[in-house]
Amino acid sequence: KRFGQRLAVDKISLTIEHQNHLAILGPSGAGKSTLLRIIAGLERSDMGELRIDGRVANALPPSQRGLAYMSQDYALYPQLNVRQNLETALLPLKLQRFERDARCAEALAWFDIELLAEQFPAQLSGGQAQRVALAKALIRRPHWLLLDEPFSQLDCRLRDELRELLLKVCEHYRTCLIFVTHDPLDALRMASKLALLIDGRLVQYDTPLRVYRTPHCRRAAELVSPWGVHWLGSQSCDEAAAESSPALVSQLRTELTRGTSIGFRPEDAQLQCASNRLGNRPSVESKIIMSVAVERVQSLGFAQLVYVQSHGRQYACLIPAAEMLPEQPQLVIAADALLHCPQD
């Protein structure tokens, strides 16, 4: 799909099966929303083929694709109350009155918005409007539910509530969820398949766990890492050489000269005390170890994000909330926690 000279979507090929949930993850401008709108029938691709249930759907109008689409602005009619907004979604189905009433009552109950039925969109909070919009999208019981950044405007508590509720409702109605997000936690927690888009291209398509553990490139690793990635260079190997496994340091240097990017995530690093060098000190085999100085600590409630410095380079380490910081800290990364990525 092109917009003028800009190539928004470039030769993307993927398959999503019924009752699976697909997250489309990428930075701003990656083509995520454009791809979603092509699936929904709100944009026409310039080339390529879209199939739904084995049938070519490029020319099918949105109403005949068996799907519901919810945009970031929720698309609620301001002149209609909540119940009337839900009823408008049922009009194409031409249901009898008692069926429409039953579906409205069920949708209001599912999303816990019965008390809001007579209110208008302008009277709703962001979380309430989100629930109404989701109820409106699901009231027709579509095979596919398409959501564009569904949680971007909500606080953490509401995000968690709606994540779980949405998964429960989709499971109940056997609805396949396809959603766009730039938040790796949304993608990792909700999706059974994850599509990574960068500059309009599909750079990786797999289960969230495989994408997280074996990213295909540096930018892919950074996209699925909530607390970022630290990339090691030859200077890092020099800093670590005195304490680390010599064989591992030699291997990393070889990979770096061949153009491989080596990195680690804060959640995969540990802090240990340098005084453990004797006696019960953990083996250095298959570990990178660097002496560091603690710069600052950020509490995340369940954990501490500790920023450390070594020879002018800053790293972060995610450790348990109750863990005491060592007086002579060393940053420790096991070999099997290191990321090995080709250059982008």
Side-chain angles (χ1 to χ4, degrees):
K1 176 66 178 179
R2 285 185 179 275
F3 294 103
Q5 296 300 311
R6 185 173 70 88
L7 187 59
V9 174
D10 185 13
K11 299 178 183 176
I12 290 177
S13 179
L14 55 84
T15 301
I16 180 70
E17 297 177 354
H18 278 295
Q19 298 182 49
N20 280 340
H21 301 319
L22 168 65
I24 304 172
L25 177 68
S28 297
K32 307 184 299 297
S33 295
T34 300
L35 176 60
L36 195 72
R37 289 174 61 83
I38 289 172
I39 297 171
L42 303 175
E43 294 281 359
R44 291 287 297 272
S45 60
D46 299 318
M47 294 177 61
E49 196 170 77
L50 172 71
R51 290 180 175 268
I52 299 177
D53 294 330
R55 182 173 59 154
V56 177
N58 292 52
L60 276 182
S63 60
Q64 296 180 27
R65 298 190 180 202
L67 53 81
Y69 170 84
M70 191 183 86
S71 62
Q72 294 185 55
D73 61 5
Y74 306 150
L76 299 177
Y77 297 112
Q79 73 276 20
L80 303 179
N81 64 28
V82 167
R83 186 187 302 278
Q84 291 167 335
N85 263 283
L86 298 185
E87 289 175 344
T88 61
L90 294 173
L91 292 177
L93 302 183
K94 299 180 180 179
L95 301 175
Q96 302 218 4
R97 183 71 210 184
F98 77 92
E99 292 179 284
R100 294 203 304 271
D101 290 344
R103 287 211 188 185
C104 280
E106 186 176 41
L108 290 168
W110 262 117
F111 289 93
D112 193 23
I113 51 176
E114 296 102 322
L115 299 178
L116 306 176
E118 306 307 319
Q119 294 193 26
F120 290 85
Q123 299 172 295
L124 304 177
S125 68
Q128 291 170 338
Q130 180 87 326
R131 287 173 179 265
V132 173
L134 287 171
K136 183 178 177 181
L138 280 161
I139 197 169
R140 286 174 34 223
R141 301 173 189 173
H143 295 303
W144 312 88
L145 176 62
L146 279 54
L147 306 177
D148 194 353
E149 297 282 6
F151 311 115
S152 61
Q153 302 180 47
L154 302 180
D155 61 41
C156 291
R157 183 181 63 81
L158 285 174
R159 288 171 78 100
D160 285 341
E161 287 181 4
L162 278 177
R163 279 191 194 116
E164 296 306 312
L165 178 58
L166 186 56
L167 290 176
K168 187 183 298 184
V169 175
C170 286
E171 182 179 354
H172 178 80
Y173 290 120
R174 299 180 181 275
T175 298
C176 174
L177 176 63
I178 302 177
F179 66 100
V180 159
T181 184
H182 63 269
D183 187 333
L185 290 178
D186 284 344
L188 293 169
R189 290 178 63 171
M190 295 184 64
S192 49
K193 282 293 185 74
L194 175 55
L196 285 184
L197 264 61
I198 298 175
D199 298 331
R201 294 170 41 249
L202 182 68
V203 297
Q204 196 162 355
Y205 180 57
D206 211 327
T207 65
L209 185 58
R210 288 200 192 100
V211 175
Y212 179 82
R213 288 182 173 173
T214 55
H216 286 180
C217 62
R218 283 179 61 136
R219 292 180 70 183
E222 291 164 354
L223 280 173
V224 294
S225 302
W227 290 281
V229 180
H230 295 294
W231 299 105
L232 304 177
S234 57
Q235 181 184 343
S236 304
C237 290
D238 293 340
E239 296 162 10
E243 302 286 348
S244 306
S245 160
L248 178 58
V249 171
S250 176
Q251 174 194 332
L252 297 184
R253 281 179 170 150
T254 300
E255 289 191 56
L256 288 169
T257 58
R258 292 174 177 171
T260 300
S261 294
I262 311 292
F264 69 91
R265 298 183 174 101
E267 58 266 38
D268 291 325
Q270 298 176 326
L271 285 181
Q272 74 175 24
C273 183
S275 62
N276 287 339
R277 295 183 59 153
L278 301 175
N280 61 355
R281 180 197 177 202
S283 169
V284 300
E285 290 304 314
S286 300
K287 290 184 175 70
I288 288 292
I289 302 175
M290 287 183 278
S291 294
V292 295
V294 174
E295 288 192 328
R296 68 182 188 278
V297 180
Q298 294 179 349
S299 174
L300 302 178
F302 70 96
Q304 303 175 78
L305 192 58
V306 183
Y307 290 90
V308 298
Q309 182 266 133
S310 174
H311 296 84
R313 293 171 63 90
Q314 188 184 74
Y315 306 98
C317 177
L318 195 68
I319 65 173
E323 186 173 311
M324 298 291 292
L325 297 180
E327 291 185 6
Q328 296 177 291
Q330 289 180 319
L331 188 69
V332 182
I333 308 104
D336 58 8
L338 291 171
L339 299 171
H340 302 255
C341 301
Q343 291 285 356
D344 292 350

